[in-house]
Amino acid sequence: MTSPPDPTIPPHEAEAEGTTGQDAVAPTRYPLPPPWGAVPFAEPAAAEAPVKARRKVPAWAIWTGSAVVVLCLAALGAGAWWSQTTSDYLAADIEYDTARFAAADAAGALREDALVKQSELENVRAILELARTDVGLVSAETVESLSTTHAALTTSVTNALAVSDEAPTALPTEELTWPWEYAEATAVRASATADAAAYEDRVRIVEDDTDTTHTAVIEATNALFESVPAHAAAIEAAHVSARRGDVITFRSSSEYLSMEISTDSIAPTAPTSFASYATSAANVRTSAAEELAEKAGPLFERRLEVEAF
């Protein structure tokens, strides 16, 4: 008699359970879904927590936060601008001082050089006065050339002295607080720096002009001195009756002028040397006239022929 089938055993394993012997296989028992197994117990689902509704952010809070962010950014930007304008001002101030000092040094050198040349102009003026008074002392062409160059150098020196007085000075002290004030002061210093650089360039130009006219005066003065030997010889030849001592002094003074020839300046002793030459020439003329007056008589012409011989 067979027992009813076990509902927990699948049909294909139930058939295998009825076999005997070595081939018999023990059935595998495990829970099966319906209709063979029991309905599994399902635990009740946990109750879900209620979802809280989000609170809406007020508009005034959004606007306030945005305003704070904008103000913070503006403050940072203003601080950066303030710092930058201050830094630019300090840099511009240092740059102007540097340019101003360089221009002042150039102006001082120009003035010192102009004063030296001015003293040389006085020496040349004294020489010209003597040369114009006694036209036989030197070549008339050299006198004219020296007069022209002397006038040109006088103009150059006058201009140089005037330019040297125009050196840039320190800018007035300013009370600066706001960035735009620093920016404006920076612009003023940048313009002043450019003006100082332009002034220094102008000083160089004036200095070159003064050097050029000064060189021309030196050359003209040398040419005047170089014409002395020929004219001194002519003066001596025209006054053969002059006393021997006066003639020797005249020769020495004329020869000494060759030592006053220079390539870079007018020696301060040049006027004195030229004055000695002019004086000795006048003494020769006077001496000759006196000698001729003493020798005047019936044989005067014969004596002149003998002296000339």
Side-chain angles (χ1 to χ4, degrees), residues 38-298:
V39 178
F41 174 75
E43 295 188 7
E48 296 182 0
V51 179
K52 295 182 178 180
R54 294 183 178 179
R55 297 180 61 183
K56 186 176 181 180
V57 179
W60 64 267
I62 296 175
W63 284 106
T64 302
S66 301
V68 170
V69 172
V70 171
L71 288 176
C72 290
L73 293 176
L76 290 175
W81 179 36
W82 207 319
S83 177
Q84 185 62 45
T85 52
T86 304
S87 177
D88 292 343
Y89 167 79
L90 293 176
D93 192 56
I94 293 174
E95 186 176 1
Y96 171 68
D97 284 342
T98 302
R100 176 170 65 87
F101 292 146
D105 290 342
L110 177 65
R111 183 173 187 81
E112 182 178 355
D113 182 69
L115 291 175
V116 172
K117 290 178 171 60
Q118 189 176 53
S119 65
E120 293 185 17
L121 281 173
E122 292 300 318
N123 297 336
V124 174
R125 183 185 58 79
I127 294 173
L128 281 172
E129 287 181 356
L130 291 173
R132 289 167 178 163
T133 301
D134 191 342
V135 295
L137 294 176
V138 292
S139 168
E141 291 79 5
T142 60
V143 174
E144 183 65 26
S145 176
L146 183 58
S147 177
T148 301
T149 56
H150 177 269
L153 181 58
T154 300
T155 301
S156 296
V157 168
T158 301
N159 183 46
L161 291 174
V163 170
S164 67
D165 291 335
E166 299 174 5
T169 57
L171 295 175
T173 304
E174 301 168 309
E175 294 294 336
L176 304 176
T177 303
W178 301 106
W180 53 85
E181 294 177 341
Y182 280 101
E184 183 178 354
T186 299
V188 170
R189 277 154 179 76
S191 177
T193 299
D195 292 342
Y199 171 79
E200 189 173 0
D201 293 338
R202 182 185 173 197
V203 166
R204 302 304 180 198
I205 294 174
V206 172
E207 189 175 33
D208 291 341
D209 176 70
T210 307
D211 289 341
T212 300
T213 53
H214 179 247
T215 300
V217 167
I218 293 174
E219 293 174 351
T221 303
N222 290 340
L224 185 144
F225 288 160
E226 289 169 354
S227 72
V228 166
H231 285 75
I235 292 172
E236 185 177 343
H239 301 86
V240 293
S241 299
R243 288 185 288 270
R244 187 66 180 170
D246 294 331
V247 173
I248 293 175
T249 302
F250 175 66
R251 289 177 180 176
S252 298
S253 62
S254 63
E255 292 173 357
Y256 189 81
L257 278 176
S258 62
M259 300 176 60
E260 300 293 352
I261 295 176
S262 175
T263 59
D264 56 359
S265 64
I266 306 298
T269 57
T272 302
S273 299
F274 194 78
S276 297
Y277 168 64
T279 300
S280 62
N283 291 337
V284 166
R285 294 190 185 100
T286 302
S287 175
E290 292 174 351
E291 289 294 321
L292 290 175
E294 292 178 1
K295 297 173 183 178

